[in-house]
Amino acid sequence: MERKHLDGCLVTNRVDQYYLTGFDGEDGAALVLPHRAYLITDGRFAEEAAIHAPWARAVIRTGPLAEAVGKTVRRHRLGRVGLDPAHTSVSMQATLRKACRPSRLASAPRILEQMRIVKDPSEVAAIVRAAEIAQAAFRTVVRRIRIGMTERELATALLLEMLRRGASDASFPIIVAEGPASSLPHARAGDRKIRAGSAVLIDWGATVDHYRSDLTRVVFVRRIPPRFRRMYQNVLAAQAAGIEAVRPGAAFSQVDAQARGVLRRRGMHKAFSHGLGHGLGLDIHEAPRLARSSEGVLEPGMVVTVEPGVYFPGVGGVRIEDDVLVTDNGCRVLTDLPKELDRMVV
Amino acid sequence: MERKHLDGCLVTNRVDQYYLTGFDGEDGAALVLPHRAYLITDGRFAEEAAIHAPWARAVIRTGPLAEAVGKTVRRHRLGRVGLDPAHTSVSMQATLRKACRPSRLASAPRILEQMRIVKDPSEVAAIVRAAEIAQAAFRTVVRRIRIGMTERELATALLLEMLRRGASDASFPIIVAEGPASSLPHARAGDRKIRAGSAVLIDWGATVDHYRSDLTRVVFVRRIPPRFRRMYQNVLAAQAAGIEAVRPGAAFSQVDAQARGVLRRRGMHKAFSHGLGHGLGLDIHEAPRLARSSEGVLEPGMVVTVEPGVYFPGVGGVRIEDDVLVTDNGCRVLTDLPKELDRMVV
């Protein structure tokens, strides 16, 4: 705040607010001042705010949120209050601006995103727990794959096993895509039945203590379809190159380029239609992005997915995804489910 | 668009985009012109866009979203393009504005919200299916409530039973709050164990074909705690009055006032700390709001929750919630789980 000449910072994004205060109410705004913080919420969350953020002063609004924010801002005669333009809607900004007068709202882009990008050890520990639960559930469920089972049944079983192990939720809607459906990088689980000789792409993760994991594996039912053999080996090689490139100081775009280069040399880069990976933590997609156009370099404590994929409409797709922590000297892969081609037959 | 002198409308909100096009991709924008529609998305969703919105022209971007939008807008030499300020972030608006020049972006507040507020029969049918699945799951799970079971176990069982019956997901994180925890209107399910003689508040719903249901029931384990008897009867009476008030032409605030009045006459209105209800459909909370400060009147085809509640910190809370369709002559309650006090003992 000092560097940006701000007298305070207003945080309206729910996840940012949880990050700052420990309070995860559906309604609320946090106003952070140099020596004090306010949580502005409504009556439904009054007790929760007191329990989860006892050190913050709770302001229980009865009127609109903006009015309560404005009143608090004006009471402190704040000159400039920062607001993240990426997490504030145009109408919310207009309403807040009016309510906070004569205090001014200043654009403070990505201020929380930049704080959240490097994880502290307790955050890494939560991501590791989320990864372990996702992996344990997968190991259990993959043994129960049967011909004729639907994608949805498999997804439900995976979710249930994660919940049983202490996940509060899946970290996003689980993708189970059988056969040609696997060529849709973001297919959901549907009524398609699992057939012998088909590839099943599974992209899933767990939310544990608010933190998330994110993995993808492709399994082959009974046997490996011939066309998938080369796709799989290429993606696996690209992923290895991507992980190899993860270290402090490496440019985000360079990590992407390392993996993409492997697919290019093998003539499959045109089928790799998305970025290599993304940060994960309280959100399933957060900074940094590992992509061609992404600017910045990796630092110790960042956690990213490395997930190259190739997709051929009508045929199918392969994606392999692991979660990787940037360490002082290189990286540590937080997920360790098998991924060698011959071990993927179920 | 005509009424607002717009040459086109740009829809960036995912749910609105699904409503308009049937395409539910994580990345995308829909540009709606009088006689044509574009879906602008990235390579990951190309195939999905073609499958789910074959009549829309797909624009597969390789650069940033705003650039691809701008190119399409400029190609049509559009004068004014509408954008919903409630669903556009400040930074997205700035980027789009630059990319669309010389076309101008005009504020088109709540244009989709107003379209979505009245449901057509197929939407009502989906909400009814979502309600039926939520109710069937509840009936199964409530019989399995045992002393010593945790809130989380109960929530997981409920989720699983909804998924088994064809829900794609819960419609929001299920709330199971035992004993005093029920005084937090938005508690989650935790490790608290269900005890004899306690109240358990359950707030849950299913998502089916993208549409959502939302119910709340309070059950009493073995016996009704004396302090809850009056709370329950008051809330039940308030809910009956609220439902009674749901009819075409009734002001949103008036429906709230009817229910609130019952609690006032019984001296419990101060414990009713939230609005009476909200619209539901593709989103779990959407227009209209039934609350004191809400402006507008009910119309046939609107679907709202009616959910008064009273909360006493340290003691507990009671909320009773059903989903109600406004019909031509009055209303139809879409949910029909028992709620008479004596039937709530499990």
Side-chain angles (χ1 to χ4, degrees):
Chain A
M1 294 198 304
E2 214 172 276
R3 203 159 6 103
K4 291 178 184 263
H5 309 289
L6 298 173
D7 304 307
C9 208
L10 186 61
V11 177
T12 55
N13 176 28
R14 179 168 173 177
V15 174
D16 286 342
Q17 187 181 278
Y18 172 77
Y19 180 80
L20 282 177
T21 69
F23 167 69
D24 182 32
E26 200 181 306
D27 178 278
L31 177 67
V32 183
L33 310 184
H35 302 290
R36 183 172 297 186
Y38 289 93
L39 254 183
I40 298 149
T41 184
D42 70 30
R44 296 175 299 166
F45 300 102
E47 205 182 337
E48 274 178 80
I51 291 170
H52 294 295
W55 51 270
R57 301 183 184 212
V59 175
I60 306 305
R61 68 185 178 91
T62 48
L65 181 66
E67 246 171 54
V69 169
K71 215 171 140 182
T72 314
V73 164
R74 290 196 310 268
R75 176 150 28 100
H76 281 278
R77 299 170 193 278
L78 303 174
R80 277 163 52 91
V81 177
L83 191 62
D84 187 340
H87 288 121
T88 309
S89 71
V90 172
S91 32
M92 178 53 97
Q93 181 182 257
T95 313
L96 284 171
R97 207 162 247 173
K98 215 175 285 177
C100 291
R101 270 177 207 156
S103 300
R104 274 170 309 133
L105 296 182
S107 181
R110 309 194 306 162
I111 191 162
L112 264 289
E113 185 182 305
Q114 290 307 314
M115 287 172 70
R116 283 169 45 191
I117 195 169
V118 169
K119 273 73 184 173
D120 72 24
S122 75
E123 295 183 279
V124 172
I127 296 171
V128 166
R129 283 196 299 281
E132 282 168 356
I133 285 174
Q135 297 202 143
F138 183 85
R139 280 189 212 101
T140 300
V141 165
V142 88
R143 283 196 296 266
R144 301 208 301 248
I145 292 179
R146 295 287 174 270
I147 288 159
M149 194 177 193
T150 68
E151 294 169 345
R152 198 193 307 274
E153 283 165 356
L154 184 51
T156 303
L158 194 48
L159 174 59
L160 174 70
E161 292 298 333
M162 293 198 292
L163 295 172
R164 276 206 181 127
R165 286 169 170 79
S168 62
D169 201 354
S171 55
F172 57 90
I174 296 172
I175 296 171
V176 176
E178 195 261 5
S182 58
S183 76
L184 304 172
H186 280 249
R188 298 287 172 79
D191 295 320
R192 216 171 290 98
K193 286 182 176 169
I194 290 171
R195 296 161 303 165
S198 73
V200 181
L201 184 150
I202 305 169
D203 187 347
W204 82 107
T207 305
V208 177
D209 299 334
H210 294 84
Y211 284 83
R212 295 163 197 267
S213 58
D214 190 1
L215 294 101
T216 307
R217 289 293 183 268
V218 174
V219 298
F220 301 102
V221 184
R222 302 281 171 84
R223 56 186 180 272
I224 303 166
R227 300 182 70 169
F228 277 79
R229 200 170 273 277
R230 202 165 64 91
M231 284 159 63
Y232 194 95
Q233 296 292 23
N234 289 349
V235 171
L236 190 61
Q239 202 215 21
I243 292 172
E244 179 67 30
V246 173
R247 70 175 74 94
F252 303 151
S253 58
Q254 184 54 28
V255 180
D256 179 282
Q258 286 298 322
R260 207 170 290 278
V262 170
L263 290 171
R264 181 168 298 113
R265 288 190 292 280
R266 295 171 180 225
M268 236 177 231
H269 59 291
K270 285 188 180 153
F272 178 22
S273 53
H274 53 75
L276 182 65
H278 54 82
L280 87 169
L282 291 172
D283 278 319
I284 187 66
H285 293 127
E286 57 180 56
R289 283 189 317 114
L290 302 183
R292 276 175 282 195
S293 60
S294 192
E295 284 174 20
V297 297
L298 291 172
E299 290 172 44
M302 291 182 180
V303 177
V304 293
T305 67
V306 177
E307 49 173 316
V310 295
Y311 311 93
F312 295 96
V315 177
V318 168
R319 179 167 67 252
I320 303 171
E321 176 180 25
D322 286 288
D323 301 338
V324 181
L325 167 70
V326 184
T327 60
D328 290 337
N329 313 309
C331 71
R332 180 157 74 90
V333 183
L334 304 178
T335 44
D336 61 0
L337 286 176
K339 53 190 170 182
E340 302 79 19
L341 177 57
D342 293 327
R343 295 188 63 182
M344 305 316 287
V345 180
V346 295
Chain B
M1 296 200 303
E2 214 172 275
R3 201 157 10 102
K4 291 178 184 264
H5 308 290
L6 297 173
D7 303 308
C9 207
L10 186 60
V11 176
T12 55
N13 175 28
R14 179 169 173 176
V15 175
D16 286 342
Q17 188 181 280
Y18 173 76
Y19 180 81
L20 281 177
T21 69
F23 168 68
D24 183 32
E26 201 181 305
D27 178 277
L31 177 67
V32 183
L33 310 184
H35 302 289
R36 182 172 297 185
Y38 289 94
L39 254 182
I40 298 149
T41 184
D42 71 29
R44 295 175 299 166
F45 300 102
E47 205 181 338
E48 273 178 81
I51 291 170
H52 294 293
W55 51 271
R57 300 181 185 214
V59 176
I60 305 306
R61 68 186 179 89
T62 48
L65 181 65
E67 245 171 54
V69 169
K71 213 170 144 184
T72 314
V73 164
R74 290 195 312 267
R75 177 151 27 102
H76 282 277
R77 301 171 192 277
L78 303 176
R80 277 163 53 90
V81 177
L83 192 61
D84 187 341
H87 288 121
T88 309
S89 71
V90 173
S91 31
M92 179 52 97
Q93 180 183 256
T95 313
L96 284 170
R97 206 162 248 172
K98 214 175 287 176
C100 290
R101 268 179 209 153
S103 300
R104 276 171 308 135
L105 295 183
S107 181
R110 309 194 308 160
I111 191 162
L112 264 289
E113 186 183 304
Q114 290 307 317
M115 286 171 71
R116 282 170 46 191
I117 196 169
V118 168
K119 273 71 185 174
D120 72 24
S122 75
E123 296 183 280
V124 173
I127 296 172
V128 167
R129 283 196 300 279
E132 282 168 355
I133 285 174
Q135 296 202 141
F138 183 85
R139 280 189 211 102
T140 300
V141 165
V142 88
R143 284 196 294 268
R144 301 208 302 248
I145 293 179
R146 295 286 173 271
I147 289 159
M149 194 177 192
T150 67
E151 294 169 345
R152 198 193 306 276
E153 284 165 356
L154 184 52
T156 303
L158 194 49
L159 174 59
L160 174 69
E161 292 298 333
M162 293 198 293
L163 295 171
R164 273 207 183 128
R165 286 171 171 78
S168 61
D169 200 354
S171 56
F172 57 90
I174 296 172
I175 296 172
V176 176
E178 196 262 2
S182 58
S183 76
L184 304 172
H186 280 247
R188 298 289 172 80
D191 294 320
R192 217 172 291 99
K193 285 182 177 170
I194 290 170
R195 297 162 304 166
S198 73
V200 181
L201 184 150
I202 305 169
D203 188 348
W204 82 106
T207 305
V208 177
D209 298 335
H210 294 84
Y211 284 84
R212 295 162 199 266
S213 58
D214 190 359
L215 294 100
T216 307
R217 288 292 183 270
V218 174
V219 297
F220 301 102
V221 184
R222 301 279 171 86
R223 56 185 180 273
I224 303 167
R227 301 181 70 168
F228 276 80
R229 203 170 271 278
R230 202 164 65 90
M231 285 158 62
Y232 195 94
Q233 296 291 23
N234 289 349
V235 171
L236 191 61
Q239 202 215 18
I243 292 173
E244 180 64 32
V246 173
R247 70 176 73 94
F252 303 151
S253 58
Q254 184 54 27
V255 181
D256 179 280
Q258 286 297 323
R260 206 169 291 278
V262 170
L263 290 170
R264 180 168 300 112
R265 287 191 291 280
R266 296 172 180 226
M268 236 177 229
H269 58 291
K270 285 187 179 153
F272 178 22
S273 52
H274 53 74
L276 181 66
H278 54 83
L280 86 170
L282 291 171
D283 277 319
I284 186 65
H285 293 128
E286 57 180 57
R289 283 189 318 115
L290 302 183
R292 277 175 282 194
S293 60
S294 191
E295 286 173 20
V297 297
L298 291 172
E299 289 172 46
M302 291 182 179
V303 177
V304 293
T305 67
V306 177
E307 49 172 317
V310 295
Y311 311 94
F312 295 96
V315 177
V318 168
R319 181 167 65 253
I320 303 172
E321 176 180 24
D322 286 288
D323 302 338
V324 182
L325 167 70
V326 185
T327 60
D328 291 335
N329 313 308
C331 72
R332 180 156 74 90
V333 184
L334 304 178
T335 44
D336 61 0
L337 285 177
K339 52 189 171 183
E340 301 79 20
L341 177 57
D342 293 327
R343 296 187 64 181
M344 305 316 287
V345 179
V346 296

